[in-house]
Amino acid sequence: MPGIHYPKSSMTCFALLTLLAVALVACAPRQSAQRAAAIPEATIEQIYIATERALDRTGPSFGEPRNAGIRYFRAAISIPPTHRVGNIEWHEGPPDPATDFVVTETEVYEGNPGFVNAVKKGQTAREVLVFVHGYNNTLSEAMYRLAQIQHDFNSGLPSVLFSWPSAGDPRGYVYDRDSVLYARDDLELLLKSLTRGPQDKVTLVAHSMGSHLVMETMRQAALKGDRRLLSRISSVILMSPDIDPDVFRRQAEAIGRLPQPFLMFISREDRALGLAGFITGRKPRLGVIDSPEAVAGLDVKVIDFTALGDGEGLNHAVPTSSPTAISVLKGMIAQAQSGERAFQNYMVLTAQP
């Protein structure tokens, strides 16, 4: 596939304009999850959350100290009957469960054992989906995104959000990269607790900078010689991974045998990663690679969703926010579950609508 190359002056102008937009966005208030009573017409998604954030802080925390330890709770999130696939319907006035995402119930767990028991209670599947959000995410935004994913994909697996201490602020890119390193031990602890049983498995789904956290945590387990934990990871999906390709290769080589399937969803028109690449030295991030050479020799399949973006916004969450991409991905999942070859044996698949 041909690469996309911009003149240096054009890239500088683009970066300056984007930085100006980021500065303006940083001044705008962020929405947070609101409570409301459930209505019969809405769909309730149960989301389990393990977080290093304070539970009374669902909005931005830029400049605040990071919390030590993990806090556990459950949130019942109501999806309105008017929901559009790929969308999160935020409230514009008082929260209305007929038109908006709302929280209808929460339950806090005192510790890890009670949390894990709650996640697995009444579940026939021995597998849990663990979602790791990306840069510039508040707890509210990450909760609602996982609820939207769970609803639109209807995976049938219990879902756990690992919410690491992102600043939840566009100005906090470096802060968030440090927070990823800060969170490795706690994510490893969570994965161990979810896979204690002899048949327990986890599927890891990560977005953006959360992909860096997932790779660092698996690398850490490998360096400790903990092949048991790595063997309990049944699959890994990295969406728009915000990782330097050279770093990713070193991480993958340290991990050794990667969980399978190991899938990476990219978009060559991801504007958020374009800016991240400029900030980190004008080198393209992993989520915008334009050839399979960046992952050559690694047991990784890269699926290109560029053609399925809607052309609006930053194109930074195409697999979960584009209705066309969600439809294509659900078809791939159905093929895989039926034993068909959903993911071809070449490194980059260009998905078409």
Side-chain angles (χ1 to χ4, degrees):
M1 292 179 296
I4 301 175
H5 302 285
Y6 300 97
K8 191 175 293 186
S9 59
S10 299
M11 275 299 300
T12 302
C13 291
F14 168 77
L16 289 174
L17 288 172
T18 307
L19 287 170
L20 176 60
V22 165
L24 292 173
V25 169
C27 299
R30 300 285 279 268
Q31 292 177 299
S32 34
Q34 300 293 319
R35 294 187 72 113
I39 60 172
E41 299 82 7
T43 303
I44 304 297
E45 298 291 346
Q46 301 292 343
I47 302 297
Y48 296 88
I49 300 100
T51 182
E52 294 166 316
R53 306 174 192 254
L55 297 188
D56 59 353
R57 166 65 81 174
T58 57
S61 57
F62 188 54
E64 295 186 4
R66 299 180 182 93
N67 291 296
I70 311 179
R71 293 148 187 83
Y72 304 96
F73 72 104
R74 174 184 61 85
I77 298 178
S78 172
I79 312 294
T82 56
H83 170 68
R84 292 181 294 110
V85 171
N87 195 45
I88 295 176
E89 284 82 10
W90 287 96
H91 60 94
E92 295 183 358
D96 183 352
T99 56
D100 310 323
F101 277 55
V102 297
V103 177
T104 61
E105 182 186 6
T106 58
E107 180 180 6
V108 177
Y109 303 99
E110 290 188 4
N112 179 279
F115 175 76
V116 172
N117 288 339
V119 170
K120 299 185 177 183
K121 184 178 180 180
Q123 298 290 339
T124 56
R126 301 297 298 178
E127 188 159 350
V128 175
L129 185 149
V130 177
F131 176 65
V132 183
H133 63 77
Y135 149 72
N136 185 28
N137 265 227
T138 65
L139 178 56
S140 292
E141 290 164 348
M143 285 166 46
Y144 277 8
R145 177 59 71 188
L146 179 53
Q148 174 258 314
I149 291 172
Q150 184 165 295
H151 179 274
D152 290 351
F153 284 92
N154 191 26
S155 71
L157 296 178
S159 296
V160 173
L161 166 66
F162 180 74
S163 184
W164 51 279
S166 165
D169 189 295
R171 298 166 295 180
Y173 188 82
V174 175
Y175 178 95
D176 278 13
R177 290 182 72 182
D178 288 342
S179 291
V180 160
L181 303 182
Y182 178 85
R184 291 175 297 189
D185 292 349
D186 285 337
L187 178 55
E188 183 181 13
L189 174 64
L190 174 67
L191 297 180
K192 284 183 176 180
S193 68
L194 291 171
T195 57
R196 282 198 187 112
Q199 316 243 327
D200 292 342
K201 298 274 190 178
V202 292
T203 289
L204 291 177
V205 179
H207 177 239
S208 187
M209 198 178 285
S211 302
H212 187 34
L213 174 52
V214 163
M215 291 300 295
E216 279 293 297
T217 302
M218 290 195 297
R219 175 182 179 272
Q220 178 168 289
L223 293 178
K224 291 179 178 178
D226 192 353
R227 303 308 305 184
R228 180 190 180 280
L229 175 59
L230 293 171
S231 71
R232 297 309 181 89
I233 301 173
S234 62
S235 57
V236 176
I237 298 173
L238 306 183
M239 300 184 294
S240 307
D242 187 359
I243 312 175
D244 182 295
D246 294 336
V247 172
F248 176 76
R249 179 170 292 278
R250 282 296 183 93
Q251 291 169 326
E253 289 172 349
I255 294 165
R257 184 166 52 85
L258 296 173
Q260 293 300 314
F262 193 110
L263 307 175
M264 194 166 69
F265 299 150
I266 69 166
S267 171
R268 287 169 285 121
E269 296 180 358
D270 189 320
R271 299 180 183 89
L273 291 185
L275 177 58
F278 184 85
I279 293 171
T280 56
R282 294 189 178 181
K283 182 175 182 180
R285 310 302 282 171
L286 190 63
V288 293
I289 56 173
D290 57 11
S291 82
E293 294 175 4
V295 292
L298 303 176
D299 200 0
V300 175
K301 288 185 172 59
V302 182
I303 303 174
D304 186 351
F305 277 97
T306 303
L308 305 184
D310 55 17
E312 299 179 1
L314 295 175
N315 279 331
H316 191 45
V318 173
T320 59
S321 63
S322 162
T324 306
I326 290 172
S327 177
V328 168
L329 191 50
K330 287 175 72 175
M332 289 179 176
I333 293 170
Q335 281 183 296
Q337 290 174 339
S338 66
E340 297 181 37
R341 289 174 58 194
F343 307 106
Q344 304 299 321
N345 292 325
Y346 45 88
M347 298 302 292
V348 178
L349 168 68
T350 303
Q352 297 293 338

